[in-house]
Amino acid sequence: MKRSKFMLALLSAAPIATFGRQYRQLNREEKGFLAKAGEGRYHGHIQLKGVNANTIDVKVSGKDTNGDLAIFEQTSVSPGKGTPLHVHPYQDEVFYVLEGSYRFQAGNSIYELHAGDTIFLPRKLPHAWVQLSERGKMTVTLQPAGKLEDFFVALAAFAKPPSPEEIARLFLEHEMKVVGPPLTV
C-alpha cells in the first residue's frame, strides 16, 4: 500500500475510534453512587483464602465504569503474609495505605509504606507486598479494571486455602501471572 493511501485509511478510521470511546462514556450510568464505609458494593465482604485471609470490599467495580477503573478497600489481618511476586500485563495498580505498614517489592526496589503513603505500580512491573503490622488497611486502584474483582470472588469461593499451583492457575485465569515467591518479613 502506498504511503498516501495508508495515511488516508488511517485518518478515515480515526472518527470510528473516537466515536467508540465517546459511546462508552455516553453509555455509562449518569448518576453517582455512595460506597459506604465498611461495605462492599456488589459482593459484601469478600473473605480471601490462600495468599492471605484479608477482607476485600469492592468500592467501585469495573461494572460501574465499563471496565475503565476498579477500586477496592482491603482490610489486612494477616501479618507476615501478602502476595507472590506477580505481574498485571494490562493494568496499572495504585496502593494507598490507610492504616498499618507494608513492604512492597516493585521490580528490583523494596519500599516500606505506612499510613498516608502511596505506591504506583505500572502494568508489566513484577511486584509483591507483605503486611508488616498486626492490622492494616489499603485502597487498591486498578486502571483499567481487569479481572481482579473476579479473582477475589474466585479465591473466596474455595472451601479451604488453595495450593500454590491452584493460586498460580487462578492468577493466569484472571490476567495475572505469578513470577516469583512472596516477600518475607
Side-chain angles (χ1 to χ4, degrees):
M1 178 182 280
K2 290 186 175 185
R3 181 180 165 94
S4 61
K5 286 185 179 180
F6 172 77
M7 292 303 289
L8 184 60
L10 185 63
L11 288 173
S12 67
I16 294 169
T18 301
F19 175 75
R21 186 176 307 122
Q22 288 173 346
Y23 175 76
R24 278 187 22 185
Q25 291 170 347
L26 291 174
N27 200 29
R28 189 172 284 174
E29 181 68 36
E30 292 186 15
K31 64 179 187 173
F33 58 86
L34 172 65
K36 288 194 163 256
E39 293 181 7
R41 182 144 164 77
Y42 290 105
H43 314 282
H45 297 303
I46 302 172
Q47 188 66 52
L48 301 181
K49 295 179 189 85
V51 296
N52 57 58
N54 297 339
T55 302
I56 303 293
D57 291 333
V58 176
K59 297 299 186 176
V60 178
S61 171
K63 298 174 205 163
D64 298 319
T65 66
N66 293 332
D68 289 339
L69 174 75
I71 301 174
F72 310 101
E73 183 177 83
Q74 175 178 282
T75 302
S76 304
V77 294
S78 304
K81 294 191 177 186
T83 63
L85 189 67
H86 65 283
V87 294
H88 300 263
Y90 311 114
Q91 288 82 33
D92 295 328
E93 194 168 22
V94 178
F95 289 83
Y96 175 72
V97 178
L98 298 163
E99 300 172 16
S101 57
Y102 300 83
R103 179 173 298 134
F104 275 80
Q105 178 177 348
N108 294 322
S109 299
I110 302 291
Y111 302 96
E112 287 206 10
L113 278 71
H114 307 279
D117 291 340
T118 299
I119 189 165
F120 172 74
L121 303 168
R123 61 195 74 192
K124 299 181 184 176
L125 179 71
H127 62 278
W129 59 264
V130 62
Q131 180 182 334
L132 300 176
S133 54
E134 190 65 29
R135 291 186 55 86
K137 190 175 276 196
M138 299 188 282
T139 58
V140 183
T141 303
L142 269 88
Q143 190 280 317
K147 296 183 178 182
L148 191 58
E149 181 177 341
D150 294 335
F151 170 80
F152 291 144
V153 171
L155 198 57
F158 276 82
K160 61 180 183 169
S163 68
E165 295 78 22
E166 290 172 311
I167 289 172
R169 179 184 50 78
L170 269 181
F171 269 74
L172 283 174
E173 289 173 358
H174 294 91
E175 297 180 339
M176 301 176 286
K177 183 176 181 182
V178 174
V179 294
L183 288 173
T184 57
V185 175

